[in-house]
Amino acid sequence: MAAFTIAAGTGNWFSALALGVTLLKCLLIPTYHSTDFEVHRNWLAITHSLPISQWYYEATSEWTLDYPPFFAWFEYILSHVAKYFDQEMLNVRNLNYSSSRTLLFQRFSVIFMDVLFVYAVHECCKCIDGKKVGKELTEKPKFILSVLLMWNFGLLIVDHIHFQYNGFLFGLMLLSIARLFQKRHMEGAFFFAVLLHFKHIYLYVAPAYGVYLLRSYCFTANKPDGSVRWNSFSFVRVISLGLVVFLVSALSLGPFLALNQLPQVFSRLFPFKRGLCHAYWAPNFWALYNALDKVLSVIGLKLKFLDPNNIPKASMTSGLVQQFQHTVLPSVTPLTTLICTLIAILVRTQQMILLPQPPEYQGIQPSIFCLWFKPQGPRGFLRCLTLCALSSFMFGWHVHEKAILLAILPMSLLSVQKAGDASIFLILTTTGHYSLFPLLFTAPELPIKILLMLLFTIYSISSLKTLFRKEKPLFNWMETFYLLGLGPLEVCCEFVFPFTSWKVKYPFLPLLLTSVYCAVGITYAWFKLYVSVLIDPPVGKTKKQ
Amino acid sequence: ELYHSLPFFCFLLGKCFKKGLKGKGFVLLVKLACTVVASFVLCWLPFFTEREQTLQVLRRLFPVDRGLFEDKVANIWCSFNVFLKIRDILPRHIQLIMSFCFTFLSLLPACIRLTLQPSSKGFRLTLVSCALSFFLFSFQVHEKSILLVSLPVCLVLSEIPFMSTWFLLVSTFSLLPLLLKDELLMPSVVTTMAFFIACVTSFSIFEKTSEEELQLKSFSISVRKYLPCFTFLSRMIQYLFLISVITMVLLTLMTVTLDPPQKLPDLFSVLVCFVSCLNFLFFLVYFNIIIMWDSKSGRNQKKIS
């Protein structure tokens, strides 16, 4: 009986949380799944039945393989398990095949791969220092962090309803972050390199990794005031890092290099023919830009400044994925977005390099250059990573709203340690999660998404408020008002709008409203995070790296 | 709700007796009686217009024409029917009288004990045992009626966590054929596991399996007067739990994956009912033992303190 007790994990809260969320995921198996389900079934079929040389050329289905090779190999391994469930799903010609066994297999594969995510959360919890050990369990930062990560609403609905494999990918990212916290830099770099070859969207945060590893790992010591000691550059470390990255890339892209298919692979991975915004506008800066453009064009038409014949009909809001021209404001090209993103990350380069730094401005340094000139160890790296992810979400080309998770999950690690970060996190996460609502538009999922969202939001706000109750309140009146406004917005979009006459004339109005409202919140959170990185209080004495 | 009515009656009667029939008790009795009669009259007034009307309502409420049991239910009669087809052998009125007698006899000790010593804990335990007796021995019981027993068990969950959790697991298992018909296998398995994990982590049930925790101390002391070697009760119960859980899991797997043989198409549902019935009989004995021996220890403790 004693063995049974140990096996049942009496009193082990982490296992209980992990098991609980796994059981919840099992309950979500029969829910709505999007076209991503067919995408992954198609990739299973492609990798199973075709030779490697055909993988990036196959186009029977419209959902062509557009992830890096490691993910293709992952699908290949999965397909060998899939054949025991239902052989038919591995036929490339069986478009939109979704028997009950296929569904069961795919859903269970996502749930199973989340094991890596749970392990990564476990490792991250080890990096968080519990402030006062005497508190009760539900007030410990480790407990709150575990719930915020494992029971994350966005991850649950994107992975287990909408259907994607983000769980284990974020597990890899969190694992690499945890390794960097534990000063195991080589492993961190290795995990990140592997992650890049699973899904190239993580390129957004690669600059943070690059600069941090270069500054804090390759330069082994600092001068007493915290700046870099140039003669402590370690060639061995640089070369070993380079070797790791090179080997991983060789393993991934090598076969395709040998087959002379690299251009084709890259054209699949980076499809710039798609438009600035996705079919549903991600709530970033360009959503606000588009909305402004629309408003100005309407005003211009009304005031007769614009000729109606010059305006392209049904631009942008028609919900199709194409290239569009803006009507009033200058049009945006991919290059523009790249430049904006880079500027956001590396702002004030000119000032930093040219002007001398008076002592009182020592504390005011921008993000990447913060990492370089005044490293604050892994915590500073994490802030920079979050800021990179959020900036690229704000200014990127053809950003999907799911990319907000890339900023939310690392931010969770920051939120349990400082009150300022907690308030930014709560705004970002609430608006980010709300912006995911249009992904699940079917009626049976409506109660599920509303209740799960309420559960997560109420828990995160109350637990973080309790954790930081000794400091000033987390929200001011403006932020509270904004967050409460999400409720009426949801009621309007889901319950009131379908019964009005506007449903026929402007069917995309609720999406537009959701996107613009959330864009305001996310921009505000980005701005606050940026300011907090710039004006972070001087840490004081140096840390020997 | 007849399942729960007798304990209410006995508890209230016991309270009246305690206050003394020659004073406050009598007043309370009269007040209770008036309340009950008044509410009954209010509900039934429209149907008292004709005698035939009243009889028809009664006939619909107690469908004695439907037979001893319908389909498969984790009942004594259904399980007994596997070996001896009593449903077909005995005439209808004999079945009625038999089930009535068995039900009444099985709940009599607990009710008498409650009348003599009304206490909150005794009341809840008697609710459990009466409902269980009704479920096991009554006429025309539906499988869903096990919920009428599960509800009072939830009320004693905090005092006897181990046995209550075990009972609630078995009660969900007994509904398996019904849930399969409704295609609720995955949700029921998941929620059963979630419930089990919740009980294990919040009540630490596996640490509360000693005799004292199971409220069986006084019982085993009494038995040890005659059989000095009776020290293995706690371990026996743990083994029984293990066997029960393993059987339930195996039967669930078999029902889902295998096809029943041609000659016995209902094999698995009958097996489920049979195993559940055995478990329920064990629980009936256990709860009755607790009720009978608990009051004794209560009295003894009062004497000591």
Side-chain angles (χ1 to χ4, degrees):
Chain A
M1 217 63 202
F4 202 65
T5 310
I6 297 167
T10 347
N12 188 345
W13 55 269
F14 190 81
S15 319
L17 280 176
L19 269 169
V21 79
T22 311
L23 291 173
L24 178 65
K25 291 170 190 171
C26 289
L27 282 177
L28 292 174
I29 285 181
T31 50
Y32 155 80
H33 54 79
S34 68
T35 48
D36 277 332
F37 181 82
E38 166 62 15
V39 169
H40 288 279
R41 187 216 60 80
N42 188 40
W43 294 355
L44 279 174
I46 290 179
T47 50
H48 187 88
S49 37
L50 296 174
I52 300 180
S53 53
Q54 290 291 311
W55 283 2
Y56 282 94
Y57 280 97
E58 173 61 33
T60 313
S61 160
E62 56 178 319
W63 311 114
T64 54
L65 185 59
D66 53 6
Y67 275 16
F70 274 176
F71 202 88
W73 287 110
F74 166 69
E75 294 274 10
Y76 176 71
I77 296 172
L78 271 186
S79 70
H80 281 284
V81 182
K83 64 185 182 204
Y84 296 112
F85 277 76
D86 190 345
Q87 193 75 14
E88 290 300 309
M89 75 168 110
L90 299 171
N91 188 340
V92 183
R93 312 241 160 255
N94 275 343
L95 299 181
N96 292 315
Y97 182 77
S98 59
S99 67
S100 58
R101 285 175 157 219
T102 313
L103 183 72
L104 213 59
F105 168 71
Q106 298 249 60
R107 292 278 196 208
F108 270 122
S109 66
V110 183
I111 296 174
F112 177 72
M113 290 311 296
D114 275 355
V115 152
L116 188 57
F117 185 69
V118 169
Y119 173 67
V121 172
H122 185 75
E123 291 291 306
C124 281
C125 284
K126 282 202 245 169
C127 305
I128 305 287
D129 49 356
K131 278 189 283 201
K132 292 148 200 165
V133 190
K135 277 195 269 194
E136 65 168 86
L137 175 67
T138 50
E139 288 185 19
K140 285 206 188 126
K142 287 188 209 263
F143 181 83
I144 298 178
L145 181 66
S146 306
V147 177
L148 287 180
L149 283 175
M150 284 200 282
W151 287 72
N152 188 302
F153 168 75
L155 203 56
L156 267 176
I157 61 169
V158 168
D159 262 16
H160 300 277
I161 300 186
H162 185 85
F163 196 83
Q164 273 206 331
Y165 282 93
N166 287 316
F168 84 98
L169 294 173
F170 278 116
L172 274 174
M173 188 172 90
L174 288 175
L175 197 56
S176 77
I177 294 175
R179 289 288 177 257
L180 290 179
F181 265 82
Q182 293 163 353
K183 307 256 187 279
R184 289 149 76 168
H185 296 95
M186 292 290 286
E187 291 181 33
F190 170 71
F191 284 128
F192 186 69
V194 168
L195 177 65
L196 267 185
H197 287 278
F198 263 106
K199 194 168 178 181
H200 50 296
I201 201 177
Y202 292 93
L203 268 176
Y204 284 154
V205 299
Y209 272 88
V211 173
Y212 176 72
L213 282 171
L214 197 58
R215 172 69 180 86
S216 303
Y217 183 60
C218 299
F219 290 99
T220 45
N222 291 340
K223 288 204 200 123
D225 64 353
S227 59
V228 66
R229 183 177 285 186
W230 292 97
N231 56 6
S232 70
F233 186 74
S234 157
F235 271 108
V236 176
R237 290 188 171 185
V238 165
I239 290 182
S240 48
L241 272 181
L243 208 62
V244 162
V245 173
F246 175 74
L247 279 175
V248 170
S249 310
L251 201 60
S252 152
L253 296 170
F256 297 96
L257 188 63
L259 291 166
N260 281 329
Q261 285 189 351
L262 271 188
Q264 170 70 1
V265 173
F266 279 116
S267 76
R268 282 283 179 89
L269 255 52
F270 303 102
F272 275 106
K273 296 234 171 48
R274 298 193 192 159
L276 170 66
C277 285
H278 199 69
Y280 157 62
W281 301 352
N284 59 8
F285 177 76
W286 304 123
L288 294 174
Y289 191 82
N290 291 342
L292 187 63
D293 181 66
K294 266 258 159 262
V295 164
L296 287 178
S297 71
V298 166
I299 294 177
L301 275 176
K302 283 257 162 66
L303 299 178
K304 305 279 193 280
F305 283 145
L306 298 171
D307 182 8
N309 296 328
N310 287 346
I311 297 174
K313 292 273 178 250
S315 52
M316 241 156 310
T317 45
S318 61
L320 300 171
V321 181
Q322 292 168 34
Q323 299 230 318
F324 284 113
Q325 306 293 327
H326 285 89
T327 318
V328 176
L329 302 171
S331 283
V332 182
T333 63
L335 195 58
T336 328
T337 59
L338 189 65
I339 293 174
C340 285
T341 319
L342 283 176
I343 291 176
I345 296 176
L346 302 169
V347 84
R348 296 210 327 189
T349 61
Q350 301 284 14
Q351 276 181 308
M352 277 310 306
I353 296 172
L354 293 179
L355 296 177
Q357 285 286 299
E360 49 266 27
Y361 288 116
Q362 279 290 321
I364 303 177
Q365 285 156 350
S367 55
I368 293 272
F369 278 78
C370 219
L371 268 192
W372 182 266
F373 286 100
K374 203 157 174 248
Q376 300 196 4
R379 211 141 287 145
F381 157 70
L382 194 54
R383 299 176 80 88
C384 182
L385 186 147
T386 317
L387 198 53
C388 279
L390 200 47
S391 305
S392 11
F393 178 82
M394 288 295 298
F395 296 106
W397 179 267
H398 200 81
V399 170
H400 202 288
E401 64 274 4
K402 292 183 247 165
I404 194 67
L405 288 175
L406 195 58
I408 289 179
L409 288 179
M411 188 90 207
S412 321
L413 285 160
L414 290 171
S415 69
V416 292
Q417 298 191 284
K418 264 177 70 176
D421 290 338
S423 86
I424 301 174
F425 168 73
L426 285 172
I427 300 173
L428 182 66
T429 211
T430 314
T431 35
H433 285 165
Y434 181 75
S435 72
L436 293 173
F437 267 27
L439 282 177
L440 306 178
F441 49 82
T442 45
E445 275 66 36
L446 183 64
I448 298 177
K449 74 183 182 194
I450 292 181
L451 288 173
L452 278 180
M453 166 105 187
L454 278 177
L455 192 72
F456 183 80
T457 313
I458 292 174
Y459 175 78
S460 54
I461 294 179
S462 65
S463 64
L464 286 174
K465 269 202 167 150
T466 319
L467 189 61
F468 295 115
R469 61 179 174 273
K470 297 210 179 90
E471 318 196 19
K472 63 175 173 60
L474 291 179
F475 299 128
N476 59 29
W477 66 269
M478 211 170 49
E479 294 161 357
T480 320
F481 200 63
Y482 173 80
L483 285 178
L484 286 175
L486 286 173
L489 180 66
E490 167 69 4
V491 167
C492 273
C493 288
E494 297 265 16
F495 299 109
V496 173
F497 184 78
F499 297 109
T500 58
S501 60
W502 288 332
K503 185 166 165 58
V504 182
K505 245 172 57 171
Y506 307 113
F508 282 92
L509 196 57
L511 292 182
L512 192 144
L513 281 175
T514 312
S515 176
V516 170
Y517 195 87
C518 293
V520 170
I522 293 179
T523 315
Y524 176 75
W526 170 76
F527 189 70
K528 253 185 118 172
L529 182 63
Y530 211 90
V531 166
S532 88
V533 166
L534 291 187
I535 313 182
D536 68 45
V539 168
K541 310 303 157 254
T542 60
K543 284 194 199 137
K544 190 130 209 275
Q545 295 297 325
Chain B
E1 277 306 314
L2 263 181
Y3 283 38
H4 298 145
S5 57
L6 265 173
F8 272 89
F9 173 71
C10 297
F11 179 71
L12 292 168
L13 198 62
K15 282 280 188 200
C16 296
F17 284 162
K18 244 180 136 175
K19 292 204 173 160
L21 262 186
K22 293 200 176 101
K24 284 202 195 142
F26 190 69
V27 173
L28 186 61
L29 187 63
V30 168
K31 275 201 274 192
L32 286 169
C34 288
T35 321
V36 171
V37 170
S39 20
F40 253 84
V41 165
L42 234 100
C43 288
W44 281 74
L45 208 53
F47 303 103
F48 277 155
T49 49
E50 274 182 17
R51 190 169 173 269
E52 183 56 37
Q53 187 86 306
T54 324
L55 279 178
Q56 180 63 10
V57 174
L58 281 171
R59 239 176 266 141
R60 281 290 174 88
L61 282 179
F62 302 103
V64 288
D65 288 331
R66 285 217 206 141
L68 193 54
F69 60 86
E70 208 168 298
D71 210 4
K72 310 281 170 292
V73 63
N75 198 323
I76 287 285
W77 307 127
C78 182
S79 312
F80 206 65
N81 204 46
V82 173
F83 306 113
L84 186 68
K85 301 274 178 233
I86 50 169
R87 190 164 52 165
D88 306 321
I89 295 179
L90 295 176
R92 189 55 59 73
H93 59 276
I94 302 248
Q95 290 173 3
L96 256 173
I97 294 174
M98 192 170 60
S99 72
F100 182 75
C101 288
F102 268 89
T103 318
F104 202 63
L105 284 172
S106 62
L107 52 82
L108 210 53
C111 287
I112 294 179
R113 179 65 75 182
L114 185 63
T115 319
L116 294 176
Q117 273 154 20
S119 69
S120 155
K121 187 167 163 205
F123 175 51
R124 283 175 284 143
L125 287 170
T126 317
L127 273 174
V128 175
S129 80
C130 276
L132 197 49
S133 308
F134 263 96
F135 177 80
L136 282 172
F137 296 108
S138 178
F139 205 82
Q140 185 66 223
V141 174
H142 196 283
E143 315 163 280
K144 296 196 287 263
S145 312
I146 193 61
L147 294 174
L148 287 167
V149 189
S150 299
L151 188 62
V153 170
C154 291
L155 292 176
V156 295
L157 189 55
S158 52
E159 281 152 23
I160 323 170
F162 179 67
M163 297 301 275
S164 313
T165 314
W166 184 3
F167 182 88
L168 292 167
L169 288 175
V170 176
S171 60
T172 316
F173 171 71
S174 72
L175 291 169
L176 187 67
L178 196 65
L179 293 169
L180 280 175
K181 240 188 277 179
D182 287 339
E183 294 176 23
L184 284 174
L185 174 68
M186 174 70 81
S188 66
V189 166
V190 166
T191 40
T192 311
M193 288 208 290
F195 174 75
F196 183 61
I197 292 171
C199 284
V200 166
T201 41
S202 25
F203 289 114
S204 335
I205 56 175
F206 292 118
E207 288 159 17
K208 297 189 180 159
T209 51
S210 67
E211 275 182 13
E212 195 171 296
E213 291 283 355
L214 290 174
Q215 323 258 340
L216 286 172
K217 201 170 177 84
S218 31
F219 169 70
S220 43
I221 290 176
S222 320
V223 174
R224 270 196 279 269
K225 284 189 205 151
Y226 306 101
L227 288 169
C229 55
F230 190 69
T231 49
F232 46 80
L233 190 58
S234 167
R235 248 185 307 145
M236 190 174 77
I237 290 189
Q238 289 172 8
Y239 284 138
L240 281 176
F241 173 74
L242 218 57
I243 294 173
S244 164
V245 166
I246 291 175
T247 324
M248 290 198 289
V249 169
L250 276 175
L251 266 179
T252 317
L253 283 171
M254 278 177 14
T255 322
V256 171
T257 48
L258 301 176
D259 286 323
Q262 285 275 9
K263 274 205 250 169
L264 307 161
D266 288 326
L267 177 67
F268 291 126
S269 32
V270 169
L271 274 176
V272 165
C273 292
F274 191 69
V275 166
S276 316
C277 184
L278 287 177
N279 278 294
F280 289 144
L281 272 174
F282 167 74
F283 282 113
L284 185 67
V285 168
Y286 169 77
F287 279 111
N288 273 304
I289 288 177
I290 291 189
I291 293 171
M292 304 306 286
W293 264 265
D294 178 56
S295 2
K296 261 199 195 153
S297 77
R299 244 190 294 162
N300 285 341
Q301 276 189 346
K302 275 196 189 141
K303 273 192 193 157
I304 292 167
S305 58

